[in-house]
Amino acid sequence: MQDEELNPGGANSFTPKQAFAAFRRHVHTMVPMGLLLLAAGIVIVSMMPNVYRASTTILVDPQKIPERYVASTITTDLNARLNTLTQQVLSASRLQEIIDRNDLYPKMRQKASREEVIDYMRSKTKIDIKAASEDQGLSSFSITYESENRDLVAKVTNQLAESFIAWNLNARELQAQGTKQFLSGELDEAKKSLEEQESALQAYRLQHAGATPDALTGNLQALSRLQAESQANEDAIGRLDQERILLTQTKSSDPRGMPLTERDRLVQERRRLEGDLSRLRQQFTDSYPDVITVKEQIKEINARLATMPESLAGISEPMDTNTKVRLALIEKELERRHQHKAGLQQQIQSFQGKVDSVPVLETRLAELTRNYEVSRQNYQSLLDKTLSAGMSEELEKKQQAERFTVLDAAKTPEKPVKPARAILFSVVIVAALLFPLGTVLVKELLSGAIRGEAELKEMLTPGIPVLGTIPPIQSKLDFRREWWLRVRTSLLLLLTCTALAIFLLKVRPVL
């Protein structure tokens, strides 16, 4: 049969019967290969280190005392604070302390650097946040730690939980202390400012005592009283002047009156104008036009009187004793009334000045009062906040505020979580069965051997017949060799199974 007579386009077929025949031919190779893979896989999976996991749950216990009685100064979001605590607890210094205390990873520390060991432990630590609801927010969180040391995994987990609780208490207490110290400093500044404003307001009130807006009503009443008293005094002076004029103009011997001189007429006119001026001042200020006119008229009369000689009327004639006594009394009373008038005018001017200065003083007083009220309100607000911060600090010290509580402490695990040996053993068994079968099939497909008459016909050019087939010829040596291979395979299978059974009984891997 020539090569060019073969049909290169023919497809090689591999039937189940041919596959079974191939498996029978290579069974003595497949069994050792499968046993080797099975033994190696079982040994590797059994020798894999056990990884244990311990977990503890920490409950976020809310504040014991209602917030309407004592408000906490810790307003930081719990998730943000938890992230901060996580960074603090999983910091290099804290993890290094736990590693040194429990002598963790002794072999790894001999080969790896300190940072690599810490990163490895950090990768084995996991924190899961559990939220109760959207409104309630964070309710609890769990800390999980994995390690190959079954006896230390729970201990390390509890130490991490204790670190979280201790750091949380310390952070809250420090934050409460910082808030109180800040508010105390601000309160001292506010108190100092309040005292300065109070001193300025008190000094201003003392400087302008009796002239402040709150004394305006009293000043107006006093001014009205003084003006009425001044008017009464003016009336009394007028009556005394008239009586004196009458007495000086009356002769002791002649009952008839003498005519008034120019000087006496001017004196009477001055008295009348002074009475009008007093009445006008009761209603108007000195800048009122009528008041100014009357003043000018009085000034002119005084100037004219100064140029005239004293009146001699009534003096040429002798007066009786009673008239002289009465004139002396009138002069004394006029002198006293004029002195009283001067005093009243001075008091009226003083009170009038106080009344007139009220608008100017009111602006400045309002500014000082406003600054004082602002300082007082600021001081009172800071005082309330400082007292609240002090109670909040005591709340944190007595651990009555929000805190972390261990709900379920970590316990020593009974079984490892890794590796999943049951699954791995199943994979090894399946691989030990399929790998030899696949190897034999691939070898048969790649060998290029003709496996039957039908396959040969597909490969030949149509029209070329198959003359005959030669069956396999086995000699006694072939039978003996086949028998020996079966015995060797059986012994190898028995020995392998026995060795694996002894190994598994000795190692006792946890599934």
Side-chain angles (χ1 to χ4, degrees):
M1 185 182 305
Q2 301 296 328
D3 292 341
E4 59 271 10
E5 294 178 342
L6 296 177
N7 182 10
N12 294 333
S13 60
F14 201 74
T15 62
K17 184 177 181 180
Q18 292 174 346
F20 183 74
F23 293 153
R24 289 188 59 186
R25 290 195 303 271
H26 298 283
V27 66
H28 304 299
T29 303
M30 292 170 54
V31 172
M33 185 184 301
L35 291 176
L36 179 62
L37 289 175
L38 180 64
I42 291 177
V43 171
I44 292 174
V45 172
S46 299
M47 296 303 294
M48 291 177 67
N50 295 327
V51 178
Y52 296 91
R53 177 186 298 168
S55 179
T56 179
T57 301
I58 299 178
L59 178 67
V60 180
D61 196 8
Q63 182 173 311
K64 301 296 183 183
I65 301 177
E67 291 190 358
R68 65 175 178 269
Y69 297 121
V70 180
S72 176
T73 57
I74 313 299
T75 58
T76 308
D77 182 62
L78 189 56
N79 290 319
R81 183 151 47 89
L82 183 59
N83 292 332
T84 303
L85 292 174
T86 301
Q87 295 176 2
Q88 292 174 345
V89 173
L90 299 183
S91 61
S93 58
R94 180 56 183 162
L95 292 182
Q96 185 65 46
E97 179 183 351
I98 296 177
I99 291 173
D100 296 338
R101 183 192 304 174
N102 299 283
D103 193 23
L104 301 178
Y105 316 116
K107 296 181 180 180
M108 186 177 182
R109 283 189 292 172
Q110 296 177 358
K111 300 178 182 179
S113 63
R114 173 178 173 271
E115 289 75 14
E116 291 175 344
V117 176
I118 292 175
D119 290 339
Y120 179 76
M121 182 178 180
R122 190 178 290 121
S123 65
K124 297 299 180 181
T125 305
K126 185 179 180 182
I127 300 175
D128 293 326
I129 299 175
K130 302 176 182 178
S133 65
E134 295 182 358
D135 297 334
Q136 296 178 357
L138 182 64
S139 64
S140 63
F141 62 94
S142 62
I143 302 175
T144 304
Y145 174 69
E146 295 181 355
S147 176
E148 298 176 2
N149 193 327
R150 177 176 177 270
D151 298 328
L152 289 178
V153 64
K155 182 179 180 182
V156 173
T157 304
N158 289 327
Q159 289 178 2
L160 291 172
E162 292 173 0
S163 298
F164 262 92
I165 296 174
W167 276 98
N168 178 62
L169 293 176
N170 186 44
R172 291 181 65 91
E173 187 172 346
L174 289 178
Q175 187 172 353
Q177 290 178 357
T179 303
K180 182 182 178 182
Q181 292 176 359
F182 172 76
L183 289 176
S184 299
E186 293 296 318
L187 181 64
D188 294 338
E189 293 293 332
K191 183 179 180 181
K192 182 179 179 181
S193 176
L194 178 62
E195 291 175 350
E196 292 177 355
Q197 297 294 334
E198 187 175 6
S199 300
L201 181 59
Q202 185 176 5
Y204 190 80
R205 287 182 179 274
L206 291 176
Q207 181 182 358
H208 302 281
T212 54
D214 52 357
L216 177 61
T217 303
N219 290 337
L220 290 175
Q221 292 176 355
L223 183 60
S224 178
R225 179 181 57 79
L226 289 173
Q227 289 176 347
E229 187 177 353
S230 176
Q231 181 62 38
N233 188 64
E234 287 288 342
D235 294 341
I237 291 175
R239 289 192 300 270
L240 289 174
D241 281 337
Q242 290 178 2
E243 185 179 359
R244 185 187 65 174
I245 292 171
L246 291 175
L247 288 175
T248 57
Q249 291 178 353
T250 303
K251 292 182 179 182
S252 60
S253 60
D254 189 3
R256 295 176 299 173
M258 301 246 345
L260 294 176
T261 63
E262 181 66 20
R263 180 180 179 83
D264 294 334
R265 188 183 63 78
L266 291 176
V267 170
Q268 289 182 357
E269 181 67 17
R270 185 180 63 181
R271 296 290 184 268
R272 185 185 64 80
L273 291 174
E274 287 177 350
D276 294 341
L277 179 61
S278 177
R279 286 190 297 271
L280 288 173
R281 281 180 171 174
Q282 292 179 4
Q283 300 178 3
F284 310 105
T285 61
D286 291 343
S287 60
Y288 192 71
D290 292 346
V291 176
I292 296 175
T293 302
V294 173
K295 284 184 176 181
E296 292 293 333
Q297 292 176 358
I298 294 174
K299 186 177 180 182
E300 292 177 1
I301 292 174
N302 289 331
R304 293 174 62 185
L305 288 173
T307 60
M308 292 182 179
E310 292 292 337
S311 178
L312 298 178
I315 301 179
S316 59
E317 297 292 336
M319 296 183 182
D320 58 4
T321 304
N322 293 332
T323 302
K324 290 180 180 181
V325 173
R326 181 59 182 166
L327 285 175
L329 293 175
I330 289 174
E331 290 295 336
K332 290 182 180 181
E333 182 65 20
L334 283 173
E335 183 180 358
R336 188 184 68 81
R337 289 286 181 177
H338 282 295
Q339 291 178 356
H340 184 54
K341 175 184 177 182
L344 290 175
Q345 290 297 330
Q346 186 177 1
Q347 293 183 22
I348 289 174
Q349 291 177 0
S350 176
F351 279 100
Q352 188 65 44
K354 292 179 180 179
V355 172
D356 294 339
S357 62
V358 165
V360 178
L361 298 178
E362 187 177 12
T363 302
R364 177 58 180 166
L365 184 62
E367 180 182 357
L368 291 175
T369 305
R370 181 174 61 253
N371 294 337
Y372 171 76
E373 287 297 326
V374 171
S375 298
R376 187 184 65 81
Q377 292 176 4
N378 184 38
Y379 175 78
Q380 186 63 42
S381 176
L382 288 174
L383 180 62
D384 295 340
K385 292 179 181 178
T386 303
L387 294 177
S388 178
M391 289 189 291
S392 177
E393 182 183 7
E394 291 298 323
L395 200 69
E396 296 295 338
K397 289 182 179 180
K398 296 179 181 179
Q399 298 185 10
Q400 295 297 315
E402 180 185 89
R403 58 176 181 167
F404 293 162
T405 305
V406 176
L407 186 61
D408 293 323
K411 299 179 181 179
T412 302
E414 298 181 357
K415 292 183 178 181
V417 295
K418 297 177 183 179
R421 288 193 174 89
I423 299 176
L424 294 178
F425 281 153
S426 301
V427 173
V428 168
I429 294 173
V430 173
L433 291 175
L434 296 180
F435 185 76
L437 295 176
T439 303
V440 170
L441 292 177
V442 171
K443 181 179 178 183
E444 288 291 327
L445 289 173
L446 297 178
S447 64
I450 298 174
R451 289 176 289 275
E453 181 179 353
E455 184 177 351
L456 179 60
K457 290 181 178 180
E458 291 179 359
M459 296 177 61
L460 293 176
T461 304
I464 300 178
V466 177
L467 298 179
T469 59
I470 302 175
I473 301 174
Q474 291 183 343
S475 61
K476 292 182 178 181
L477 182 61
D478 294 332
F479 282 108
R480 189 178 300 169
R481 181 172 174 273
E482 180 70 19
W483 179 84
W484 168 246
L485 288 175
R486 291 179 180 177
V487 173
R488 187 185 67 179
T489 302
S490 300
L491 291 175
L492 180 60
L493 178 62
L494 180 62
L495 290 175
T496 302
C497 293
T498 304
L500 288 176
I502 296 173
F503 173 78
L504 293 176
L505 289 175
K506 185 176 181 180
V507 175
R508 294 184 180 275
V510 181
L511 299 179

